[in-house]
PDB file of all heavy atoms in Angstrom:
ATOM      1  N   LYS A 133      32.556 111.069 -92.816  1.00 95.00           N
ATOM      2  CA  LYS A 133      32.978 109.898 -93.489  1.00 95.00           C
ATOM      3  C   LYS A 133      34.384 109.459 -93.036  1.00 95.00           C
ATOM      4  O   LYS A 133      35.208 110.336 -92.645  1.00 95.00           O
ATOM      5  CB  LYS A 133      33.076 110.159 -95.057  1.00 95.00           C
ATOM      6  CG  LYS A 133      33.777 111.476 -95.469  1.00 95.00           C
ATOM      7  CD  LYS A 133      33.592 111.666 -96.898  1.00 95.00           C
ATOM      8  CE  LYS A 133      34.237 112.921 -97.364  1.00 95.00           C
ATOM      9  NZ  LYS A 133      34.078 113.235 -98.739  1.00 95.00           N
ATOM     10  N   LYS A 134      34.689 108.083 -93.032  1.00 93.00           N
ATOM     11  CA  LYS A 134      35.996 107.571 -92.525  1.00 93.00           C
ATOM     12  C   LYS A 134      37.188 108.093 -93.256  1.00 93.00           C
ATOM     13  O   LYS A 134      38.124 108.572 -92.641  1.00 93.00           O
ATOM     14  CB  LYS A 134      35.891 106.164 -92.538  1.00 93.00           C
ATOM     15  CG  LYS A 134      36.976 105.508 -91.865  1.00 93.00           C
ATOM     16  CD  LYS A 134      36.728 103.890 -91.696  1.00 93.00           C
ATOM     17  CE  LYS A 134      37.599 103.231 -90.759  1.00 93.00           C
ATOM     18  NZ  LYS A 134      37.305 101.800 -90.659  1.00 93.00           N
ATOM     19  N   ASN A 135      37.127 108.193 -94.602  1.00 93.00           N
ATOM     20  CA  ASN A 135      38.247 108.583 -95.485  1.00 93.00           C
ATOM     21  C   ASN A 135      37.802 109.720 -96.287  1.00 93.00           C
ATOM     22  O   ASN A 135      36.742 109.734 -96.996  1.00 93.00           O
ATOM     23  CB  ASN A 135      38.835 107.470 -96.358  1.00 93.00           C
ATOM     24  CG  ASN A 135      39.018 106.147 -95.465  1.00 93.00           C
ATOM     25  OD1 ASN A 135      39.889 106.283 -94.595  1.00 93.00           O
ATOM     26  ND2 ASN A 135      38.385 105.242 -95.751  1.00 93.00           N
ATOM     27  N   PRO A 136      38.725 110.748 -96.459  1.00 91.00           N
ATOM     28  CA  PRO A 136      38.305 111.945 -97.244  1.00 91.00           C
ATOM     29  C   PRO A 136      37.943 111.473 -98.606  1.00 91.00           C
ATOM     30  O   PRO A 136      37.108 112.136 -99.213  1.00 91.00           O
ATOM     31  CB  PRO A 136      39.664 112.744 -97.151  1.00 91.00           C
ATOM     32  CG  PRO A 136      40.354 112.344 -96.037  1.00 91.00           C
ATOM     33  CD  PRO A 136      39.994 110.860 -95.811  1.00 91.00           C
ATOM     34  N   GLU A 137      38.450 110.431 -99.137  1.00 92.00           N
ATOM     35  CA  GLU A 137      38.160 110.068-100.526  1.00 92.00           C
ATOM     36  C   GLU A 137      36.842 109.274-100.750  1.00 92.00           C
ATOM     37  O   GLU A 137      36.402 108.907-101.712  1.00 92.00           O
ATOM     38  CB  GLU A 137      39.328 109.340-101.206  1.00 92.00           C
ATOM     39  CG  GLU A 137      39.657 108.049-100.618  1.00 92.00           C
ATOM     40  CD  GLU A 137      40.568 108.091 -99.395  1.00 92.00           C
ATOM     41  OE1 GLU A 137      40.814 109.315 -98.969  1.00 92.00           O
ATOM     42  OE2 GLU A 137      41.078 107.080 -98.969  1.00 92.00           O
ATOM     43  N   ASP A 138      36.259 108.973 -99.447  1.00 93.00           N
ATOM     44  CA  ASP A 138      34.981 108.150 -99.578  1.00 93.00           C
ATOM     45  C   ASP A 138      33.935 109.067-100.194  1.00 93.00           C
ATOM     46  O   ASP A 138      33.969 110.392-100.164  1.00 93.00           O
ATOM     47  CB  ASP A 138      34.483 107.819 -98.146  1.00 93.00           C
ATOM     48  CG  ASP A 138      35.395 106.741 -97.473  1.00 93.00           C
ATOM     49  OD1 ASP A 138      36.293 106.253 -98.357  1.00 93.00           O
ATOM     50  OD2 ASP A 138      35.385 106.415 -96.228  1.00 93.00           O
ATOM     51  N   ARG A 139      33.139 108.414-100.744  1.00 93.00           N
ATOM     52  CA  ARG A 139      31.861 109.125-101.446  1.00 93.00           C
ATOM     53  C   ARG A 139      31.126 110.070-100.326  1.00 93.00           C
ATOM     54  O   ARG A 139      30.808 109.446 -99.295  1.00 93.00           O
ATOM     55  CB  ARG A 139      30.948 108.223-102.122  1.00 93.00           C
ATOM     56  CG  ARG A 139      29.887 108.808-102.964  1.00 93.00           C
ATOM     57  CD  ARG A 139      28.881 107.816-103.603  1.00 93.00           C
ATOM     58  NE  ARG A 139      28.308 106.894-102.583  1.00 93.00           N
ATOM     59  CZ  ARG A 139      27.133 107.193-101.958  1.00 93.00           C
ATOM     60  NH1 ARG A 139      26.562 108.302-102.137  1.00 93.00           N
ATOM     61  NH2 ARG A 139      26.677 106.336-100.971  1.00 93.00           N
ATOM     62  N   ALA A 140      30.810 111.279-100.789  1.00 94.00           N
ATOM     63  CA  ALA A 140      30.098 112.129 -99.746  1.00 94.00           C
ATOM     64  C   ALA A 140      28.598 111.714 -99.642  1.00 94.00           C
ATOM     65  O   ALA A 140      28.073 111.362-100.682  1.00 94.00           O
ATOM     66  CB  ALA A 140      30.173 113.637-100.154  1.00 94.00           C
ATOM     67  N   VAL A 141      28.052 111.621 -98.398  1.00 95.00           N
ATOM     68  CA  VAL A 141      26.666 111.329 -98.256  1.00 95.00           C
ATOM     69  C   VAL A 141      26.088 112.542 -97.485  1.00 95.00           C
ATOM     70  O   VAL A 141      26.618 112.995 -96.483  1.00 95.00           O
ATOM     71  CB  VAL A 141      26.517 110.053 -97.237  1.00 95.00           C
ATOM     72  CG1 VAL A 141      24.970 109.943 -96.954  1.00 95.00           C
ATOM     73  CG2 VAL A 141      27.099 108.835 -97.958  1.00 95.00           C
ATOM     74  N   SER A 142      25.104 113.078 -98.156  1.00 95.00           N
ATOM     75  CA  SER A 142      24.542 114.284 -97.534  1.00 95.00           C
ATOM     76  C   SER A 142      23.514 113.904 -96.523  1.00 95.00           C
ATOM     77  O   SER A 142      22.899 112.830 -96.511  1.00 95.00           O
ATOM     78  CB  SER A 142      23.664 115.010 -98.766  1.00 95.00           C
ATOM     79  OG  SER A 142      22.689 115.876 -97.973  1.00 95.00           O
ATOM     80  N   MET A 143      23.401 114.765 -95.523  1.00 96.00           N
ATOM     81  CA  MET A 143      22.653 114.479 -94.299  1.00 96.00           C
ATOM     82  C   MET A 143      21.017 114.536 -94.846  1.00 96.00           C
ATOM     83  O   MET A 143      20.157 113.890 -94.191  1.00 96.00           O
ATOM     84  CB  MET A 143      22.810 115.516 -93.141  1.00 96.00           C
ATOM     85  CG  MET A 143      23.989 115.445 -92.436  1.00 96.00           C
ATOM     86  SD  MET A 143      24.204 113.880 -91.591  1.00 96.00           S
ATOM     87  CE  MET A 143      23.446 114.263 -90.092  1.00 96.00           C
ATOM     88  N   GLN A 144      20.854 115.149 -95.964  1.00 94.00           N
ATOM     89  CA  GLN A 144      19.488 115.170 -96.537  1.00 94.00           C
ATOM     90  C   GLN A 144      19.086 113.680 -96.939  1.00 94.00           C
ATOM     91  O   GLN A 144      17.895 113.372 -96.954  1.00 94.00           O
ATOM     92  CB  GLN A 144      19.554 116.031 -97.842  1.00 94.00           C
ATOM     93  CG  GLN A 144      18.229 115.950 -98.581  1.00 94.00           C
ATOM     94  CD  GLN A 144      17.435 117.283 -98.128  1.00 94.00           C
ATOM     95  OE1 GLN A 144      17.820 118.342 -97.937  1.00 94.00           O
ATOM     96  NE2 GLN A 144      16.100 116.882 -97.799  1.00 94.00           N
ATOM     97  N   GLN A 145      20.094 112.864 -97.282  1.00 94.00           N
ATOM     98  CA  GLN A 145      19.738 111.498 -97.791  1.00 94.00           C
ATOM     99  C   GLN A 145      19.390 110.738 -96.530  1.00 94.00           C
ATOM    100  O   GLN A 145      18.594 109.794 -96.667  1.00 94.00           O
ATOM    101  CB  GLN A 145      21.072 110.871 -98.339  1.00 94.00           C
ATOM    102  CG  GLN A 145      21.395 111.479 -99.698  1.00 94.00           C
ATOM    103  CD  GLN A 145      22.788 111.003-100.234  1.00 94.00           C
ATOM    104  OE1 GLN A 145      23.711 111.740-100.225  1.00 94.00           O
ATOM    105  NE2 GLN A 145      22.781 109.766-100.576  1.00 94.00           N
ATOM    106  N   ILE A 146      19.727 111.020 -95.338  1.00 93.00           N
ATOM    107  CA  ILE A 146      19.421 110.342 -94.189  1.00 93.00           C
ATOM    108  C   ILE A 146      18.118 110.998 -93.593  1.00 93.00           C
ATOM    109  O   ILE A 146      17.174 110.266 -93.110  1.00 93.00           O
ATOM    110  CB  ILE A 146      20.601 110.471 -93.186  1.00 93.00           C
ATOM    111  CG1 ILE A 146      21.754 109.857 -93.653  1.00 93.00           C
ATOM    112  CG2 ILE A 146      20.100 109.836 -91.791  1.00 93.00           C
ATOM    113  CD1 ILE A 146      23.061 110.150 -92.818  1.00 93.00           C
ATOM    114  N   TYR A 147      17.961 112.233 -93.716  1.00 93.00           N
ATOM    115  CA  TYR A 147      16.763 112.816 -93.062  1.00 93.00           C
ATOM    116  C   TYR A 147      15.948 113.583 -94.338  1.00 93.00           C
ATOM    117  O   TYR A 147      16.408 114.732 -94.629  1.00 93.00           O
ATOM    118  CB  TYR A 147      17.165 113.916 -92.036  1.00 93.00           C
ATOM    119  CG  TYR A 147      17.911 113.360 -90.881  1.00 93.00           C
ATOM    120  CD1 TYR A 147      19.332 113.371 -90.849  1.00 93.00           C
ATOM    121  CD2 TYR A 147      17.216 112.607 -89.830  1.00 93.00           C
ATOM    122  CE1 TYR A 147      20.013 112.869 -89.803  1.00 93.00           C
ATOM    123  CE2 TYR A 147      17.960 112.108 -88.861  1.00 93.00           C
ATOM    124  CZ  TYR A 147      19.310 112.134 -88.770  1.00 93.00           C
ATOM    125  OH  TYR A 147      20.038 111.693 -87.692  1.00 93.00           O
ATOM    126  N   SER A 148      15.116 112.837 -94.842  1.00 89.00           N
ATOM    127  CA  SER A 148      14.429 113.381 -96.075  1.00 89.00           C
ATOM    128  C   SER A 148      13.663 114.766 -95.681  1.00 89.00           C
ATOM    129  O   SER A 148      13.284 115.411 -96.434  1.00 89.00           O
ATOM    130  CB  SER A 148      13.510 112.438 -96.729  1.00 89.00           C
ATOM    131  OG  SER A 148      12.555 111.968 -95.659  1.00 89.00           O
ATOM    132  N   ASN A 149      13.270 114.763 -94.352  1.00 89.00           N
ATOM    133  CA  ASN A 149      12.424 115.919 -93.883  1.00 89.00           C
ATOM    134  C   ASN A 149      13.267 116.991 -93.343  1.00 89.00           C
ATOM    135  O   ASN A 149      12.891 117.769 -92.543  1.00 89.00           O
ATOM    136  CB  ASN A 149      11.372 115.452 -92.828  1.00 89.00           C
ATOM    137  CG  ASN A 149      12.128 114.658 -91.768  1.00 89.00           C
ATOM    138  OD1 ASN A 149      13.356 114.457 -91.760  1.00 89.00           O
ATOM    139  ND2 ASN A 149      11.308 114.259 -90.726  1.00 89.00           N
ATOM    140  N   LEU A 150      14.600 117.068 -93.769  1.00 93.00           N
ATOM    141  CA  LEU A 150      15.483 118.122 -93.229  1.00 93.00           C
ATOM    142  C   LEU A 150      14.994 119.445 -93.766  1.00 93.00           C
ATOM    143  O   LEU A 150      14.603 119.641 -94.920  1.00 93.00           O
ATOM    144  CB  LEU A 150      16.887 117.918 -93.805  1.00 93.00           C
ATOM    145  CG  LEU A 150      17.974 118.738 -93.442  1.00 93.00           C
ATOM    146  CD1 LEU A 150      18.220 118.837 -91.962  1.00 93.00           C
ATOM    147  CD2 LEU A 150      19.233 118.411 -94.280  1.00 93.00           C
ATOM    148  N   LYS A 151      14.910 120.377 -92.789  1.00 94.00           N
ATOM    149  CA  LYS A 151      14.429 121.774 -93.110  1.00 94.00           C
ATOM    150  C   LYS A 151      15.499 122.823 -92.556  1.00 94.00           C
ATOM    151  O   LYS A 151      16.508 122.400 -91.886  1.00 94.00           O
ATOM    152  CB  LYS A 151      13.163 122.106 -92.321  1.00 94.00           C
ATOM    153  CG  LYS A 151      11.959 121.237 -92.627  1.00 94.00           C
ATOM    154  CD  LYS A 151      10.789 121.581 -91.854  1.00 94.00           C
ATOM    155  CE  LYS A 151       9.666 120.474 -91.736  1.00 94.00           C
ATOM    156  NZ  LYS A 151       9.308 120.036 -93.006  1.00 94.00           N
ATOM    157  N   TYR A 152      15.392 124.150 -93.009  1.00 96.00           N
ATOM    158  CA  TYR A 152      16.353 125.111 -92.486  1.00 96.00           C
ATOM    159  C   TYR A 152      15.478 126.172 -92.023  1.00 96.00           C
ATOM    160  O   TYR A 152      14.504 126.700 -92.509  1.00 96.00           O
ATOM    161  CB  TYR A 152      17.136 125.591 -93.707  1.00 96.00           C
ATOM    162  CG  TYR A 152      17.887 124.378 -94.418  1.00 96.00           C
ATOM    163  CD1 TYR A 152      17.476 123.872 -95.562  1.00 96.00           C
ATOM    164  CD2 TYR A 152      18.990 123.781 -93.817  1.00 96.00           C
ATOM    165  CE1 TYR A 152      18.133 122.712 -96.229  1.00 96.00           C
ATOM    166  CE2 TYR A 152      19.738 122.822 -94.420  1.00 96.00           C
ATOM    167  CZ  TYR A 152      19.333 122.319 -95.539  1.00 96.00           C
ATOM    168  OH  TYR A 152      19.930 121.217 -96.220  1.00 96.00           O
ATOM    169  N   ASN A 153      16.069 126.876 -90.875  1.00 96.00           N
ATOM    170  CA  ASN A 153      15.411 128.119 -90.442  1.00 96.00           C
ATOM    171  C   ASN A 153      16.296 129.195 -90.743  1.00 96.00           C
ATOM    172  O   ASN A 153      17.566 129.239 -90.261  1.00 96.00           O
ATOM    173  CB  ASN A 153      15.357 127.922 -88.868  1.00 96.00           C
ATOM    174  CG  ASN A 153      14.611 129.220 -88.356  1.00 96.00           C
ATOM    175  OD1 ASN A 153      14.262 130.102 -89.085  1.00 96.00           O
ATOM    176  ND2 ASN A 153      14.459 129.108 -87.055  1.00 96.00           N
ATOM    177  N   VAL A 154      15.966 130.075 -91.749  1.00 97.00           N
ATOM    178  CA  VAL A 154      16.818 131.144 -92.169  1.00 97.00           C
ATOM    179  C   VAL A 154      16.460 132.449 -91.457  1.00 97.00           C
ATOM    180  O   VAL A 154      15.319 132.840 -91.445  1.00 97.00           O
ATOM    181  CB  VAL A 154      16.583 131.352 -93.706  1.00 97.00           C
ATOM    182  CG1 VAL A 154      17.403 132.443 -94.241  1.00 97.00           C
ATOM    183  CG2 VAL A 154      16.822 130.006 -94.484  1.00 97.00           C
ATOM    184  N   SER A 155      17.428 132.951 -90.749  1.00 97.00           N
ATOM    185  CA  SER A 155      17.167 134.201 -89.979  1.00 97.00           C
ATOM    186  C   SER A 155      17.902 135.412 -90.813  1.00 97.00           C
ATOM    187  O   SER A 155      18.986 135.288 -91.206  1.00 97.00           O
ATOM    188  CB  SER A 155      17.828 134.195 -88.555  1.00 97.00           C
ATOM    189  OG  SER A 155      17.265 133.131 -87.893  1.00 97.00           O
ATOM    190  N   VAL A 156      17.130 136.457 -90.984  1.00 97.00           N
ATOM    191  CA  VAL A 156      17.640 137.661 -91.851  1.00 97.00           C
ATOM    192  C   VAL A 156      17.617 138.904 -90.948  1.00 97.00           C
ATOM    193  O   VAL A 156      16.620 139.144 -90.214  1.00 97.00           O
ATOM    194  CB  VAL A 156      16.762 137.831 -93.038  1.00 97.00           C
ATOM    195  CG1 VAL A 156      17.381 138.947 -93.945  1.00 97.00           C
ATOM    196  CG2 VAL A 156      16.586 136.563 -93.853  1.00 97.00           C
ATOM    197  N   TYR A 157      18.639 139.645 -91.088  1.00 97.00           N
ATOM    198  CA  TYR A 157      18.801 140.917 -90.149  1.00 97.00           C
ATOM    199  C   TYR A 157      18.924 142.101 -91.055  1.00 97.00           C
ATOM    200  O   TYR A 157      19.959 142.134 -91.758  1.00 97.00           O
ATOM    201  CB  TYR A 157      19.733 140.773 -89.075  1.00 97.00           C
ATOM    202  CG  TYR A 157      20.000 141.833 -88.221  1.00 97.00           C
ATOM    203  CD1 TYR A 157      18.902 142.327 -87.322  1.00 97.00           C
ATOM    204  CD2 TYR A 157      21.130 142.672 -88.202  1.00 97.00           C
ATOM    205  CE1 TYR A 157      19.108 143.437 -86.535  1.00 97.00           C
ATOM    206  CE2 TYR A 157      21.414 143.722 -87.409  1.00 97.00           C
ATOM    207  CZ  TYR A 157      20.362 144.106 -86.496  1.00 97.00           C
ATOM    208  OH  TYR A 157      20.667 145.258 -85.761  1.00 97.00           O
ATOM    209  N   ASN A 158      18.153 143.094 -90.968  1.00 97.00           N
ATOM    210  CA  ASN A 158      18.373 144.335 -91.745  1.00 97.00           C
ATOM    211  C   ASN A 158      19.222 145.228 -90.846  1.00 97.00           C
ATOM    212  O   ASN A 158      18.639 145.804 -89.767  1.00 97.00           O
ATOM    213  CB  ASN A 158      17.037 144.968 -92.134  1.00 97.00           C
ATOM    214  CG  ASN A 158      17.250 146.276 -92.855  1.00 97.00           C
ATOM    215  OD1 ASN A 158      18.181 147.017 -92.729  1.00 97.00           O
ATOM    216  ND2 ASN A 158      16.181 146.544 -93.751  1.00 97.00           N
ATOM    217  N   THR A 159      20.484 145.564 -91.231  1.00 97.00           N
ATOM    218  CA  THR A 159      21.335 146.362 -90.270  1.00 97.00           C
ATOM    219  C   THR A 159      20.973 147.771 -90.147  1.00 97.00           C
ATOM    220  O   THR A 159      21.316 148.477 -89.305  1.00 97.00           O
ATOM    221  CB  THR A 159      22.837 146.228 -90.838  1.00 97.00           C
ATOM    222  OG1 THR A 159      22.931 146.749 -92.126  1.00 97.00           O
ATOM    223  CG2 THR A 159      23.244 144.661 -90.709  1.00 97.00           C
ATOM    224  N   LYS A 160      20.079 148.253 -91.225  1.00 96.00           N
ATOM    225  CA  LYS A 160      19.782 149.626 -91.193  1.00 96.00           C
ATOM    226  C   LYS A 160      18.474 149.922 -90.330  1.00 96.00           C
ATOM    227  O   LYS A 160      18.587 150.644 -89.397  1.00 96.00           O
ATOM    228  CB  LYS A 160      19.427 150.121 -92.672  1.00 96.00           C
ATOM    229  CG  LYS A 160      19.348 151.699 -92.808  1.00 96.00           C
ATOM    230  CD  LYS A 160      18.870 151.983 -94.227  1.00 96.00           C
ATOM    231  CE  LYS A 160      19.892 151.840 -95.359  1.00 96.00           C
ATOM    232  NZ  LYS A 160      19.379 152.147 -96.572  1.00 96.00           N
ATOM    233  N   SER A 161      17.563 149.039 -90.545  1.00 96.00           N
ATOM    234  CA  SER A 161      16.305 149.164 -89.826  1.00 96.00           C
ATOM    235  C   SER A 161      16.308 148.434 -88.428  1.00 96.00           C
ATOM    236  O   SER A 161      15.384 148.465 -87.708  1.00 96.00           O
ATOM    237  CB  SER A 161      15.109 148.516 -90.558  1.00 96.00           C
ATOM    238  OG  SER A 161      15.148 147.212 -90.709  1.00 96.00           O
ATOM    239  N   LYS A 162      17.354 147.535 -88.301  1.00 97.00           N
ATOM    240  CA  LYS A 162      17.474 146.819 -87.170  1.00 97.00           C
ATOM    241  C   LYS A 162      16.389 145.707 -87.007  1.00 97.00           C
ATOM    242  O   LYS A 162      16.096 145.234 -85.916  1.00 97.00           O
ATOM    243  CB  LYS A 162      17.544 147.553 -85.833  1.00 97.00           C
ATOM    244  CG  LYS A 162      18.595 148.731 -85.787  1.00 97.00           C
ATOM    245  CD  LYS A 162      19.962 148.095 -85.621  1.00 97.00           C
ATOM    246  CE  LYS A 162      21.069 149.298 -85.357  1.00 97.00           C
ATOM    247  NZ  LYS A 162      21.739 149.708 -86.671  1.00 97.00           N
ATOM    248  N   ARG A 163      15.653 145.419 -88.097  1.00 96.00           N
ATOM    249  CA  ARG A 163      14.582 144.494 -88.108  1.00 96.00           C
ATOM    250  C   ARG A 163      15.117 143.074 -88.412  1.00 96.00           C
ATOM    251  O   ARG A 163      15.923 142.919 -89.350  1.00 96.00           O
ATOM    252  CB  ARG A 163      13.596 144.965 -89.082  1.00 96.00           C
ATOM    253  CG  ARG A 163      12.231 144.261 -88.919  1.00 96.00           C
ATOM    254  CD  ARG A 163      11.212 144.834 -89.875  1.00 96.00           C
ATOM    255  NE  ARG A 163      10.330 143.726 -90.457  1.00 96.00           N
ATOM    256  CZ  ARG A 163      10.473 143.164 -91.684  1.00 96.00           C
ATOM    257  NH1 ARG A 163      11.431 143.775 -92.499  1.00 96.00           N
ATOM    258  NH2 ARG A 163       9.712 142.254 -91.998  1.00 96.00           N
TER     259      ARG A 163
END
Side-chain angles (χ1 to χ4, degrees):
Chain A
K133 53 187 180 182
K134 192 168 185 178
N135 306 303
E137 63 276 9
D138 290 350
R139 184 178 61 84
V141 174
S142 160
M143 292 295 275
Q144 177 90 49
Q145 292 170 251
I146 299 169
Y147 301 97
S148 57
N149 53 356
L150 179 61
K151 304 176 196 300
Y152 303 102
N153 184 0
V154 179
S155 301
V156 185
Y157 177 67
N158 178 329
T159 60
K160 195 188 287 180
S161 68
K162 307 285 191 258
R163 195 174 139 257

